[in-house]
Amino acid sequence: MNVNSSSALLTVPTGALQISDLSPADVETKAEVYFSLVIPTYKERDNIQNVVRVLTQTLDEYIPEDYELIIVDDDSPDLTWELAQSLTHEYPQLRVMRRQGERGLSSAVIRGWQVARGQVLGVIDGDLQHPPEVLTQLLSQISQGADMAVASRHVDGGGVSRWSAIRRFLSRGAQVLGLIILPGVLGRVSDPMSGYFMVRRSSIAGAILNPVGYKILLEVIGRGKIQKIAEVGYVFCERKEGESKVTWKQYVEYIHHLIRLRLSTGRLKHVNQLVANFPVGRFLRFGLVGLSGVFVDMAVLYLLSDPSTLGLPLTRSKIIAGEIAIFNNFLWNDAWTFADISARQQQWHQRLKRFLKFNAICLAGLMLNVLVLNVVFNFLIRNRYIANLIAIAIATIWNFWVNLKLSWRVTDVK
Ligand code: GDD
Ligand code: MN
């Protein structure tokens, strides 16, 4: 293979991680394209050829000549960058960057966007775990007016193919934590951990991005000026070659990132947006269902523990009454509050899964209830009934919000 006929490696930008508007020079010389897709790589030698081939096929059909692929490799010891560069004579729309100082997935993506000439900037993994055919759906969302289009595992048509229970649990736990620390960012998308998305350059131009670790989407939503976000379902495929670089370190970085974003984007903008988009009708239905649960709980407690009826011990009766009330609430929420979502997932194992999640979230809600009651009563308002009302209100919002985000969601592969 004649390496000399390949184009030169891209120069690595330095300085702030900031995307600028398209330069007038690029526009004038017609060097600009519609779409720039960055593929961050580290040790993807066995994947890279396939990735470039499949992406080219897909995009050649959809926007021929109007796109570029940018591989940003962090000086992989398996020489991914060198192999990638050798592909550039066969694929003229391919450009390759080899980073030697800086490292890390998120900054690699931004460095790639900094040299990009597209109006729309995207990212996709370099290991074929992100199905390329979803690209056209994402692009069509953008052309229909979205500022950002995210491939999501948690909307219709989405899922993970073979994840261990532990990985699912960690992924969900990370999402709940994020919803608590940064609701205005995490609450806007169903799959905030997605590394497969695209955004209009104009929505992020000028913002100084400062991501830690893997989760670049959070940073872009948190600091960009993004109005409309569209989501497209996708199934996260298994890796065929190479291995994932995710370790426990990524979880620590993620928490660090959440807190930093929280502190540095003190603006209320996102919270306002969240309030404006709050699903009021659903919340009212959820509240009514909750109220029906109170009556169920009372009635069962009476039947089981009242001396004039069964006269069972109080704690045992209360546990049973509580669980029956949870079951009651689940049925109503499934059939009414979230009817539109459950209609699309009618299978028994899907219902069971929703029920188990609902249970776990309500249980956490109960603990939150007790905690808030104690904090408010001991430190703020020394009236147990007002304190209890506040605790119930907070626990209800928790139950609603987390169930909305996690229980009545599409998570299965069709
Ligand atoms: N340049 C560069 N530098 N690329 C990297 C680095 C790095 O330090 N670390 C990983 N990559 C590349 C990999 O080569 C791959 O193309 C892509 O980034 C994703 O890395 P994986 O290690 O395969 O991640 P994953 O499959 O576990 O995680 C994926 O799923 C997450 C969803 O939970 C990624 O797509 C994440 O972006 C996504 O958030
Ligand atoms: Mn991967």
Side-chain angles (χ1 to χ4, degrees):
M1 202 180 294
N2 179 5
V3 179
N4 291 333
S5 71
S6 320
S7 52
L9 287 167
L10 291 164
T11 310
V12 183
T14 51
L17 292 166
Q18 186 178 26
I19 317 290
S20 53
D21 286 313
L22 274 177
S23 84
D26 276 348
V27 179
E28 215 162 275
T29 55
K30 296 256 188 294
E32 106 266 21
V33 287
Y34 178 67
F35 180 47
S36 300
L37 183 59
V38 166
I39 310 155
T41 57
Y42 189 69
K43 295 199 271 185
E44 301 291 359
R45 192 183 177 84
D46 296 334
N47 285 313
I48 203 66
Q49 262 165 305
N50 277 336
V51 171
V52 171
R53 182 173 48 78
V54 181
L55 291 176
T56 307
Q57 271 167 7
T58 310
L59 289 169
D60 275 348
E61 236 169 79
Y62 197 73
I63 35 171
E65 313 263 294
D66 214 7
Y67 72 94
E68 60 181 357
L69 302 177
I70 301 173
I71 290 177
V72 182
D73 186 70
D74 281 357
D75 207 17
S76 300
D78 68 2
L79 305 184
T80 305
W81 56 273
E82 196 184 57
L83 179 59
Q85 195 194 7
S86 75
L87 299 173
T88 54
H89 65 269
E90 192 182 339
Y91 299 99
Q93 62 285 43
L94 175 65
R95 304 163 75 203
V96 180
M97 185 187 295
R98 172 193 184 191
R99 292 204 307 171
Q100 285 176 289
E102 230 169 5
R103 276 214 49 187
L105 176 53
S106 290
S107 66
V109 176
I110 301 172
R111 290 300 183 208
W113 286 345
Q114 283 181 307
V115 301
R117 298 174 295 206
Q119 296 162 29
V120 176
L121 307 172
V123 54
I124 188 169
D125 281 0
D127 55 9
L128 293 167
Q129 290 192 280
H130 291 156
E133 58 285 0
V134 174
L135 270 182
T136 57
Q137 294 173 54
L138 293 170
L139 282 166
S140 109
Q141 290 295 336
I142 298 273
S143 68
Q144 285 167 43
D147 297 311
M148 168 181 260
V150 182
S152 164
R153 296 165 293 175
H154 307 308
V155 296
D156 252 350
V160 286
S161 34
R162 264 188 292 126
W163 270 22
S164 68
I166 295 180
R167 182 145 191 208
R168 279 172 205 259
F169 179 78
L170 284 177
S171 172
R172 288 315 201 167
Q175 196 181 346
V176 172
L177 195 69
L179 280 169
I180 296 169
I181 302 179
L182 259 181
V185 174
L186 282 279
R188 293 188 71 191
V189 281
S190 65
D191 190 359
M193 316 297 155
S194 177
Y196 188 9
F197 66 93
M198 53 186 72
V199 61
R200 281 181 205 280
R201 176 191 291 269
S202 56
S203 303
I204 56 167
I208 295 186
L209 303 170
N210 190 7
V212 201
Y214 257 48
K215 301 309 172 195
I216 184 172
L217 178 60
L218 298 181
E219 186 71 15
V220 172
I221 298 178
R223 298 189 201 268
K225 297 177 290 289
I226 295 157
Q227 304 289 327
K228 186 163 178 246
I229 304 181
E231 299 188 281
V232 175
Y234 85 97
V235 176
F236 192 73
C237 315
E238 289 305 310
R239 241 180 201 276
K240 295 200 182 65
E241 308 293 341
E243 56 190 38
S244 168
K245 284 95 200 170
V246 172
T247 60
W248 60 271
K249 190 165 160 260
Q250 265 76 44
Y251 290 97
V252 177
E253 283 181 347
Y254 167 73
I255 294 169
H256 173 196
H257 190 190
L258 284 177
I259 294 172
R260 206 175 62 190
L261 252 180
R262 167 78 278 172
L263 297 178
S264 63
T265 53
R267 298 162 293 164
L268 284 174
K269 190 179 92 189
H270 293 305
V271 175
N272 288 341
Q273 207 153 18
L274 200 70
V275 171
N277 295 331
F278 192 79
V280 180
R282 243 194 246 287
F283 184 66
L284 288 179
R285 286 182 301 222
F286 191 83
L288 276 178
V289 169
L291 213 57
S292 81
V294 174
F295 289 103
V296 171
D297 189 313
M298 288 282 190
V300 177
L301 193 70
Y302 167 76
L303 286 176
L304 294 179
S305 75
D306 199 88
S308 69
T309 54
L310 289 177
L312 293 175
L314 188 63
T315 304
R316 205 176 308 162
S317 306
K318 171 65 202 184
I319 291 173
I320 297 172
E323 188 55 39
I324 293 180
I326 286 182
F327 186 62
N328 165 81
N329 291 11
F330 175 78
L331 290 182
W332 285 105
N333 281 326
D334 208 48
W336 186 43
T337 315
F338 299 102
D340 50 330
I341 298 164
S342 46
R344 287 184 272 144
Q345 307 169 61
Q346 296 271 17
Q347 285 169 26
W348 283 105
H349 77 270
Q350 295 173 318
R351 286 179 211 256
L352 180 68
K353 204 154 110 188
R354 288 201 291 277
F355 178 61
L356 294 178
K357 284 185 186 174
F358 183 73
N359 251 291
I361 292 164
C362 291
L363 196 67
L366 183 63
M367 292 193 261
L368 183 70
N369 207 326
V370 175
L371 187 79
V372 174
L373 174 64
N374 274 289
V375 171
V376 175
F377 182 72
N378 289 316
F379 301 106
L380 299 171
I381 306 165
R382 257 200 118 66
N383 176 321
R384 66 191 69 235
Y385 301 105
I386 294 180
N388 195 25
L389 267 184
I390 294 172
I392 291 173
I394 290 177
T396 306
I397 292 173
W398 154 275
N399 279 347
F400 174 70
W401 183 247
V402 182
N403 274 306
L404 173 76
K405 290 291 157 190
L406 299 189
S407 302
W408 279 277
R409 274 282 175 204
V410 187
T411 48
D412 267 321
V413 180
K414 290 230 174 87

